Amino acid sequence: PGGGQPGDNGGDGSDGYRRSPLGSSPGDNSSPQDAAAAAFAARMALAGPTAGAGGPGYFDMYGADYHARLRELEYLQQQRQIHEQQQAYENEARSRMLEQAAHNQIQEYERRRMQMELMNEMHMREAEYNASRGGYGAPPPPPPPPQQGQHPPLYSDFAREEFAREDFAREEFDRDDFAREVPSNTASSHQQEVKKPPPIPSEKITSPETKDEDVDKKPSSSATKTPVKVKSNKDIIKANTPKSAPKKRKTPAKKTSESGKAKRSRASTGKKTTKSSGSTANVLKRKPGVPSIDDAVPDITDAEYENVQALMTEFCKVPFLAEFSRPVSLLHPEMVTLYSKIVHHPMDLGHVCRAIRRREYKNTRAIQLDVWRVFSNCIKFHTHPSNKDNAIPSFISIANHLLDFFNNLWIEFMLPSDSPPRPPGTARISYVHSLYQKRLEVRKQRLLQLSSTALSSKCLQKVVNELDKLLSSGGLVDKLDKSAFLGDVNNASGDVLVFIHSVKQFTINIGQKLQNDDDYTVLELHRDLKKCYTEDVFEDDLLKKMKIGLRIDRILGKVLAPVHEVSCRGVNQSSIWGCMAAAIWARESRHKPYWPAIVLGILAPEEQKEDWHKALTERNEKRLPEKLLDDLKAAKKRAESGLSKKNSDQMSYFLVEFMGSHEFIWVKENAILENFDPNDDPNVAHAAGNITKKKRSTSYNAKQMDAALEEGKWALEEFEAYLNDTCGDQSDDEDEYNDAGYTYDVLCQT
C-alpha cells in the first residue's frame, strides 16, 4: 500500500514491509497474533495526521470502521442486557406459576380427602339406619377412590330417599311447626316414640327375601305389578304417603276430636317418617362446621396453656382495653343498676387472665366463651332498647374489632399446623375442620390487604426467631405440632438439607436488610419464604412440601395477625370508629360549602381499582348502624350504575363522614379536595373576588366549622401516626403498658 517493493525504500529509509513489534515480517512463519500486530502497525503508520481533538500530529490510529464497530458492540451489549432481564422476568413468572400449581394441587388433595371422609360418614349412617329398621339391607360397600379427573358422588341413594321424604313433609305439614321440631332422641315429650318405634310400612324398600314372602301372601294381580316396576324418587314419595291423605282445612273447635284421632292414628302407623328417622335427617340437614354443646371437648394440656398465655400476651398489647380490663362496678359505679338489668353474666379480661394464670380452666372452650362474653356484653349493652341515652356506637365497632382480632389469634396460636385426622364413626362434619378452612380464607384476605405494607425491624426479627426455632426443633412451630418431619438438622441430607440452607440464607438476607434499614413488604416476605421450599426442592415428596408450607404459613400468621389488626383500627373522631383512608374537604353539592371530612369507602373505575378499596368499604359498612346502612344503599347503587357506564369522564365515588355533624354520604370525585389543611379554608379561596360567593361561603355556622376543623385535625394526626407506625410496635414500651394496666402480666395481678 505504501508503493514500495520488497527491497525498495518506502520513502522513510526502510523496506516496503513494516516490521512487527516482535521483529518478524509478514512473510516469516509467525503466529496470527504477530500478523495482527503487524497489520495494526502498518495502519497506524499509513494514517495521515488530523487536526482533531489531539491537535497537530494527532493520528487516528483506529479509523472510522473501528468506531462504528465499537458502537455496534455497545448496542449488542445493551440488547444482551435487555434479553437477560426479560429472561429473568420470565423465570420469575414461571416459578410463580409452578408455586400456584403446587398450591392448587395441595388444595385439591385436601378437598378430595374431606369429600371421601364425608362419603364414608354417609355410608356409615346408612348402615346404622338400615340396622335401626330391623337389619334390612346389607351395608353398602365403601366408595371406590376417585380416579384422575373424577369426583366422588355427593349423595347416595339413602340420602336421596331422605331428601325426598323431607320435601314431602315440607309440602304436607306446616313449615314453622316442622322447623321447630325437636329430635325424638333428645326431647322428653317423645320418649314413648323412641321406646316403641313405628312399624315399617309395606311400601318401603325391603330386602329381596322379605319381598318374596310378601309377594306370596298378596294376590296374583298385585304380585304381577309390584316386582316389575323400578322405584324412583317420586315412587318413594308416593309409597310413604297415605292413600287418602286429607287436605288441611280449618274446622271448628268442637269437631276436632275425630280429626285429632285421625292424626294420632297416622302417627302411630308410621306414615310420617320424618320423626322416626329424625336423627338421620337432622344429621343431613345440619350445616358443616356448626359447633354443638354436646361435642366432647378434651381437657386442656400444658402446651395449650402455654399458647393461651402467649396469645393473651399479644392480645393485651392493644392500646384500648380500658373499658374491658376491669368490672363495670369498678369503672362506672353509677351505671351498675342499669348494666345489671341488661347484662346478666358480666365478665372482664382481668378475670379471664387471672384464671388462665392460675390454670382454673378445664378446657379451651371455656376460655373462648369467657372472652367472647366480654365483648358480647358490650354489644348487648350499647344496642339494648332501654339504653338509648347511654349507647355509644363506636363501642360496638371496637368490641367487634377486638372479637375478630381474638378469633384470628386463636386460629393461629391454638390450632396446630396439621389438621387432625377424622375419627371413624363421626356422625357429622367436624367443627374443628371448618376452623382450618376458615384459617385459610383469613390468611388469603390478610395477604391481599397487607401486600404493600412495609414491615418493621421487630416484625422481621420475630420471623427470624420463629424460623430458627422451626429448624432447631426439627419442624415444630410450637408444642402443639407433633410431627418433627425434618429430623436432626445436623445430620440432614437431600432436599431437607437444601431447604435448611435456603432458610439460613434467608435469615442472613433479613439481617442485612435490618442493618441497611431497607423497606421489606409483606408480599416480598411471603414470596421469598415460599422460594425456600418450592424452587427445585421436594419435587418428589409433595407431602413434606405441604407440611413445610403449613408451618411457614402459621409462622407468618402469628406475625402478621397483629399487623392486620393495626391496619383495621379506626379513628376516635369517627362516630362509628371508622377506618379512614384520607382526610379531605368535601361538599354535598355545588351550592353547599366545603366541609372537613374523612374517607371511609371508595368505588373506583376498573382501571383505577385496587384490592384494598373493597376491603376498606366493606369493613366500614359493617360498622354502620343497620338503618343508616339501608339509607346509603340507594346512593351506592347509583354510584355503581354510574361506574358501569363506559364513558370517557368516569369518576370515583367516596363514602365520607363529615366532621362535627357526623353525617355519611356518597360523593363524586369532583366534590372533594385532597390534601386537607385545617389552616386553609377552600370556601374563602373559592369566593375571592366575588361578593356573592363570599356571602354564600360564610353562611355556615362558624362554631360548627371550628369544631369540625378541630376534629379533622385530630383525625389527620391519628392517621399520620398510623402511617408512621404501620406495624404498631414502634411505641411498644413495656413500662408504658404497665403504667396503663393493660398487659397480661398486670391484669393477672389485679
PDB file of all heavy atoms in Angstrom, residues 706-719:
ATOM      1  N   ASP A 706     -65.550  25.494  63.314  1.00  0.00           N
ATOM      2  CA  ASP A 706     -64.373  25.396  64.180  1.00  0.00           C
ATOM      3  C   ASP A 706     -64.287  24.026  64.844  1.00  0.00           C
ATOM      4  O   ASP A 706     -63.201  23.424  64.926  1.00  0.00           O
ATOM      5  CB  ASP A 706     -64.422  26.497  65.243  1.00  0.00           C
ATOM      6  CG  ASP A 706     -64.253  27.888  64.631  1.00  0.00           C
ATOM      7  OD1 ASP A 706     -63.725  27.971  63.502  1.00  0.00           O
ATOM      8  OD2 ASP A 706     -64.672  28.871  65.285  1.00  0.00           O
ATOM      9  N   ALA A 707     -65.439  23.513  65.298  1.00  0.00           N
ATOM     10  CA  ALA A 707     -65.445  22.176  65.908  1.00  0.00           C
ATOM     11  C   ALA A 707     -65.085  21.103  64.883  1.00  0.00           C
ATOM     12  O   ALA A 707     -64.333  20.163  65.180  1.00  0.00           O
ATOM     13  CB  ALA A 707     -66.810  21.885  66.527  1.00  0.00           C
ATOM     14  N   ALA A 708     -65.612  21.254  63.664  1.00  0.00           N
ATOM     15  CA  ALA A 708     -65.287  20.281  62.615  1.00  0.00           C
ATOM     16  C   ALA A 708     -63.816  20.344  62.240  1.00  0.00           C
ATOM     17  O   ALA A 708     -63.171  19.307  62.003  1.00  0.00           O
ATOM     18  CB  ALA A 708     -66.162  20.521  61.395  1.00  0.00           C
ATOM     19  N   LEU A 709     -63.249  21.533  62.170  1.00  0.00           N
ATOM     20  CA  LEU A 709     -61.826  21.664  61.864  1.00  0.00           C
ATOM     21  C   LEU A 709     -60.971  21.028  62.949  1.00  0.00           C
ATOM     22  O   LEU A 709     -59.948  20.388  62.652  1.00  0.00           O
ATOM     23  CB  LEU A 709     -61.468  23.143  61.704  1.00  0.00           C
ATOM     24  CG  LEU A 709     -61.923  23.825  60.414  1.00  0.00           C
ATOM     25  CD1 LEU A 709     -61.648  25.323  60.490  1.00  0.00           C
ATOM     26  CD2 LEU A 709     -61.222  23.217  59.218  1.00  0.00           C
ATOM     27  N   GLU A 710     -61.381  21.186  64.206  1.00  0.00           N
ATOM     28  CA  GLU A 710     -60.619  20.579  65.296  1.00  0.00           C
ATOM     29  C   GLU A 710     -60.659  19.057  65.213  1.00  0.00           C
ATOM     30  O   GLU A 710     -59.643  18.379  65.369  1.00  0.00           O
ATOM     31  CB  GLU A 710     -61.183  21.060  66.633  1.00  0.00           C
ATOM     32  CG  GLU A 710     -60.294  20.764  67.835  1.00  0.00           C
ATOM     33  CD  GLU A 710     -59.019  21.582  67.833  1.00  0.00           C
ATOM     34  OE1 GLU A 710     -58.974  22.619  67.138  1.00  0.00           O
ATOM     35  OE2 GLU A 710     -58.068  21.180  68.529  1.00  0.00           O
ATOM     36  N   GLU A 711     -61.843  18.492  64.933  1.00  0.00           N
ATOM     37  CA  GLU A 711     -61.947  17.032  64.796  1.00  0.00           C
ATOM     38  C   GLU A 711     -61.161  16.533  63.586  1.00  0.00           C
ATOM     39  O   GLU A 711     -60.520  15.476  63.641  1.00  0.00           O
ATOM     40  CB  GLU A 711     -63.418  16.635  64.677  1.00  0.00           C
ATOM     41  CG  GLU A 711     -64.208  16.785  65.965  1.00  0.00           C
ATOM     42  CD  GLU A 711     -65.610  16.233  65.838  1.00  0.00           C
ATOM     43  OE1 GLU A 711     -65.910  15.641  64.781  1.00  0.00           O
ATOM     44  OE2 GLU A 711     -66.399  16.388  66.787  1.00  0.00           O
ATOM     45  N   GLY A 712     -61.245  17.277  62.482  1.00  0.00           N
ATOM     46  CA  GLY A 712     -60.470  16.876  61.309  1.00  0.00           C
ATOM     47  C   GLY A 712     -58.982  16.913  61.554  1.00  0.00           C
ATOM     48  O   GLY A 712     -58.229  16.064  61.058  1.00  0.00           O
ATOM     49  N   LYS A 713     -58.532  17.880  62.320  1.00  0.00           N
ATOM     50  CA  LYS A 713     -57.110  17.976  62.655  1.00  0.00           C
ATOM     51  C   LYS A 713     -56.670  16.787  63.493  1.00  0.00           C
ATOM     52  O   LYS A 713     -55.621  16.183  63.251  1.00  0.00           O
ATOM     53  CB  LYS A 713     -56.852  19.281  63.387  1.00  0.00           C
ATOM     54  CG  LYS A 713     -55.404  19.521  63.763  1.00  0.00           C
ATOM     55  CD  LYS A 713     -55.243  20.849  64.478  1.00  0.00           C
ATOM     56  CE  LYS A 713     -53.789  21.080  64.895  1.00  0.00           C
ATOM     57  NZ  LYS A 713     -53.644  22.376  65.616  1.00  0.00           N
ATOM     58  N   TRP A 714     -57.507  16.402  64.490  1.00  0.00           N
ATOM     59  CA  TRP A 714     -57.161  15.239  65.322  1.00  0.00           C
ATOM     60  C   TRP A 714     -57.180  13.948  64.507  1.00  0.00           C
ATOM     61  O   TRP A 714     -56.325  13.079  64.682  1.00  0.00           O
ATOM     62  CB  TRP A 714     -58.145  15.145  66.484  1.00  0.00           C
ATOM     63  CG  TRP A 714     -57.995  16.236  67.498  1.00  0.00           C
ATOM     64  CD1 TRP A 714     -56.911  17.048  67.666  1.00  0.00           C
ATOM     65  CD2 TRP A 714     -58.964  16.645  68.461  1.00  0.00           C
ATOM     66  NE1 TRP A 714     -57.135  17.940  68.686  1.00  0.00           N
ATOM     67  CE2 TRP A 714     -58.388  17.721  69.201  1.00  0.00           C
ATOM     68  CE3 TRP A 714     -60.249  16.235  68.791  1.00  0.00           C
ATOM     69  CZ2 TRP A 714     -59.061  18.358  70.222  1.00  0.00           C
ATOM     70  CZ3 TRP A 714     -60.922  16.867  69.815  1.00  0.00           C
ATOM     71  CH2 TRP A 714     -60.338  17.920  70.527  1.00  0.00           C
ATOM     72  N   ALA A 715     -58.167  13.824  63.619  1.00  0.00           N
ATOM     73  CA  ALA A 715     -58.224  12.621  62.778  1.00  0.00           C
ATOM     74  C   ALA A 715     -57.002  12.525  61.873  1.00  0.00           C
ATOM     75  O   ALA A 715     -56.447  11.434  61.657  1.00  0.00           O
ATOM     76  CB  ALA A 715     -59.502  12.628  61.953  1.00  0.00           C
ATOM     77  N   LEU A 716     -56.560  13.662  61.333  1.00  0.00           N
ATOM     78  CA  LEU A 716     -55.376  13.660  60.479  1.00  0.00           C
ATOM     79  C   LEU A 716     -54.129  13.285  61.271  1.00  0.00           C
ATOM     80  O   LEU A 716     -53.273  12.527  60.772  1.00  0.00           O
ATOM     81  CB  LEU A 716     -55.210  15.036  59.835  1.00  0.00           C
ATOM     82  CG  LEU A 716     -54.054  15.189  58.850  1.00  0.00           C
ATOM     83  CD1 LEU A 716     -54.206  14.234  57.681  1.00  0.00           C
ATOM     84  CD2 LEU A 716     -53.968  16.630  58.355  1.00  0.00           C
ATOM     85  N   GLU A 717     -54.005  13.775  62.492  1.00  0.00           N
ATOM     86  CA  GLU A 717     -52.859  13.405  63.322  1.00  0.00           C
ATOM     87  C   GLU A 717     -52.865  11.910  63.645  1.00  0.00           C
ATOM     88  O   GLU A 717     -51.814  11.255  63.619  1.00  0.00           O
ATOM     89  CB  GLU A 717     -52.878  14.229  64.610  1.00  0.00           C
ATOM     90  CG  GLU A 717     -52.575  15.706  64.414  1.00  0.00           C
ATOM     91  CD  GLU A 717     -52.666  16.491  65.696  1.00  0.00           C
ATOM     92  OE1 GLU A 717     -53.029  15.875  66.730  1.00  0.00           O
ATOM     93  OE2 GLU A 717     -52.377  17.708  65.698  1.00  0.00           O
ATOM     94  N   GLU A 718     -54.053  11.380  63.913  1.00  0.00           N
ATOM     95  CA  GLU A 718     -54.140   9.946  64.201  1.00  0.00           C
ATOM     96  C   GLU A 718     -53.774   9.114  62.977  1.00  0.00           C
ATOM     97  O   GLU A 718     -53.098   8.080  63.088  1.00  0.00           O
ATOM     98  CB  GLU A 718     -55.572   9.615  64.650  1.00  0.00           C
ATOM     99  CG  GLU A 718     -55.620   8.703  65.875  1.00  0.00           C
ATOM    100  CD  GLU A 718     -57.038   8.466  66.348  1.00  0.00           C
ATOM    101  OE1 GLU A 718     -57.786   9.439  66.432  1.00  0.00           O
ATOM    102  OE2 GLU A 718     -57.374   7.303  66.631  1.00  0.00           O
ATOM    103  N   PHE A 719     -54.226   9.544  61.811  1.00  0.00           N
ATOM    104  CA  PHE A 719     -53.935   8.816  60.579  1.00  0.00           C
ATOM    105  C   PHE A 719     -52.449   8.879  60.247  1.00  0.00           C
ATOM    106  O   PHE A 719     -51.853   7.881  59.813  1.00  0.00           O
ATOM    107  CB  PHE A 719     -54.774   9.395  59.448  1.00  0.00           C
ATOM    108  CG  PHE A 719     -54.614   8.677  58.141  1.00  0.00           C
ATOM    109  CD1 PHE A 719     -55.011   7.358  58.008  1.00  0.00           C
ATOM    110  CD2 PHE A 719     -54.067   9.308  57.041  1.00  0.00           C
ATOM    111  CE1 PHE A 719     -54.866   6.691  56.802  1.00  0.00           C
ATOM    112  CE2 PHE A 719     -53.917   8.662  55.839  1.00  0.00           C
ATOM    113  CZ  PHE A 719     -54.318   7.340  55.720  1.00  0.00           C
TER     114      PHE A 719
END
